[in-house]
Amino acid sequence: MPSMITLSVTAVPDHLRGALTRWLLEVTPELYVGTVSAKVRDELWAAVADCTGDGISVMVYPTDTEQGFSMRISGQRRRHLCDFDGLTLVAFNSPPTAGKSDNEIAKPL
């Protein structure tokens, strides 16, 4: 059964953006929305993940979870997905600490 997906891509090749417009509407630059089947969604994500390179791609789509949706992330990113008792949370990666000792780096609570 078709379901709505939202796809955000940043700094990806133009050919990928063009391919996405075959299936989805580009409502704002680099933000795509559409209703597709699960197979088409998975095929689109495979193409996006292969072409993302140094960019960032995030897909959100409905599923039978507590939150009612699932997310996928691909590419170079400051954020990553964490499972916390069945909830998907977005966590930030630590910034690079080149040249700083452990005493100079703030520790999380």
Side-chain angles (χ1 to χ4, degrees):
M1 178 166 78
S3 61
M4 183 173 160
I5 65 170
T6 304
L7 180 62
S8 174
V9 296
T10 306
V12 296
D14 288 337
H15 70 86
L16 176 61
R17 294 179 67 193
L20 290 173
T21 59
R22 294 180 195 155
W23 295 94
L24 308 169
L25 295 173
E26 188 173 9
V27 294
T28 62
E30 302 177 343
L31 179 66
Y32 299 85
V33 177
T35 303
V36 296
S37 67
K39 176 147 180 70
V40 171
R41 179 192 69 218
D42 293 340
E43 292 294 326
L44 283 174
W45 182 251
V48 167
D50 287 344
C51 294
T52 299
D54 292 336
I56 302 167
S57 301
V58 179
M59 178 186 280
V60 180
Y61 57 95
T63 55
D64 294 329
T65 63
E66 276 297 313
Q67 292 172 301
F69 63 88
S70 290
M71 291 184 281
R72 295 179 183 174
I73 296 179
S74 177
Q76 302 296 322
R77 57 195 177 272
R78 272 189 63 206
R79 303 169 190 197
H80 61 275
L81 301 178
C82 296
D83 182 71
F84 183 76
D85 290 337
L87 295 177
T88 302
L89 303 177
V90 178
F92 286 88
N93 293 332
S94 300
T97 58
K100 293 187 179 181
S101 69
D102 286 341
N103 295 337
E104 297 175 32
I105 300 170
K107 304 283 187 203
L109 299 176

